[in-house]
Amino acid sequence: MLSGLDPSGGAGIQADIQAITSLGCHPLPVLTCLTVQDTRNVYGAEAVSADLIRKQLQCIADDAPIHAVKTGALGNAAVVDVLVEFMGERPGLPLITDPVIKAAGGGDLADDELIAAMKERLFPLAEMLTPNGVELALLGGSENPDEAAEHLLQGGCESVLATGGHGTGIHITNTLYNHGPEPMRWEIERIGGEYHGTGCTLAAAIAAGRASGLSPRAAISQAQNYVNHAILHALEVGKGQPVPDRGILWER
C-alpha cells in the first residue's frame, strides 16, 4: 500500500498496516508523504521523493508477490505518475484507491494538480474508489451522490464505493456503484460520532480481502464488519476523534 504517515497513529500507513495484518495478510508499506497531524486535524504535509517511491516499488515487486494495491494520501502528482507506471505494468492487479483530499478536521491533503492527476490518470486504473461524501461531491462535481458517482464511472473507474460514515441517521449506508443497472447498498449500525482513520481502515481491509481472493462484494462485506467491530472498541488516544482498535482479534 501507498499512504502517508500520521504521527498520531490513527490514520494513514499505520491504519493500513494494522488492518491488513489483522485480516491475515502481509503489508508492504510505501510512504508517500509525511504529515504534521494529530487526532484533531492535519496541519501540514510534505511528499516523499517520487523517484525514491519508484525504486521502493520496483525493489518490493522484484522480491515479493503482490496481490492487491491500496492507496491513501499520495503527496503530489509526481507520485501519481509513478503509481500509474507501476500499475500499467501489472494489468489485472486489484487497485483500491481511497482518494484522500481532506482530513476530517478540514486540513488539506491534496492540491488541485494532485486531484487532476488522480482523476485523469489513476482512477481509470482503479478497481474501486472509496470516497466519503465530501470527496465524492468534490471529485464527481455534484452534491447528488448518484450523479457524482456516475461522473466518476464515466471517467473510467470500474466501481465507486460511496461511504456514509460522515452522514447522519441511525445507519451508515455504503453504496457500491458500478456499470450495472442498480447500485448495491449495505447498511450497518451507526455508532455515535466520527472516528479517526475509518476511511483508511475500510479501504485497506477491502484490499486485504481482494488479496486473499475474495470477490469485490465479499471483500466489502468483510471490511465493513471488521471496521464496525474496530469502532466498537475504539481507543481514546488524544483530544480529538477516537481511533478504531484495529488490533482486535478477528475471526476469519
Side-chain angles (χ1 to χ4, degrees):
M1 67 276 192
L2 297 92
S3 301
L5 176 69
D6 172 8
S8 79
I13 204 86
Q14 299 95 312
D16 295 348
I17 291 169
Q18 290 173 328
I20 289 168
T21 302
S22 290
L23 289 168
C25 294
H26 178 74
L28 301 169
V30 175
L31 279 178
T32 54
C33 60
L34 305 176
T35 70
V36 179
Q37 183 174 177
D38 57 22
T39 58
R40 295 170 292 192
N41 207 350
V42 172
Y43 310 100
E46 292 188 16
V48 172
S49 160
D51 187 54
L52 177 60
I53 291 172
R54 178 183 286 107
K55 291 175 181 177
Q56 287 181 312
L57 289 173
Q58 191 59 57
C59 184
I60 292 168
D62 288 345
D63 181 54
I66 298 172
H67 300 291
V69 175
K70 182 268 178 184
T71 67
L74 290 175
N76 61 28
V79 176
V80 172
D81 290 336
V82 168
L83 181 56
V84 167
E85 177 185 338
F86 182 80
M87 294 302 301
E89 297 169 351
R90 293 161 179 81
L93 183 65
L95 171 62
I96 310 302
T97 294
D98 182 14
V100 178
I101 297 173
K102 284 184 177 290
D108 290 326
L109 282 163
D111 59 18
D112 290 342
E113 183 182 9
L114 173 53
I115 292 171
M118 290 193 297
K119 290 179 68 174
E120 294 168 11
R121 301 193 287 279
L122 183 62
F123 291 178
L125 301 178
E127 177 179 277
M128 190 183 303
L129 307 182
T130 62
N132 61 35
V134 174
E135 293 161 344
L136 179 63
L138 193 155
L139 294 168
S142 174
E143 294 294 329
N144 182 303
D146 294 344
E147 290 181 2
E150 182 60 30
H151 292 162
L152 290 172
L153 292 174
Q154 290 173 355
C157 72
E158 189 172 333
S159 64
V160 177
L161 180 67
T163 64
H166 287 73
T168 59
I170 61 172
H171 291 102
I172 294 173
T173 301
N174 295 331
T175 306
L176 179 65
Y177 299 89
N178 51 31
H179 295 280
E182 294 292 333
M184 183 174 184
R185 292 181 169 83
W186 289 262
E187 284 192 352
I188 57 177
E189 182 184 358
R190 184 182 300 279
I191 302 164
E194 292 190 2
Y195 298 83
H196 188 50
T198 52
C200 309
T201 307
L202 179 66
I206 292 170
R210 293 292 289 129
S212 299
L214 296 181
S215 69
R217 291 183 180 183
I220 292 170
S221 294
Q222 174 181 261
Q224 290 182 138
N225 290 335
Y226 169 73
V227 172
N228 189 57
H229 201 46
I231 288 173
L232 283 170
H233 298 83
L235 307 171
E236 296 285 349
V237 172
K239 298 176 182 177
Q241 295 176 333
V243 173
D245 184 2
R246 291 173 290 256
I248 56 172
L249 293 176
W250 180 252
E251 301 244 347
R252 293 183 294 278

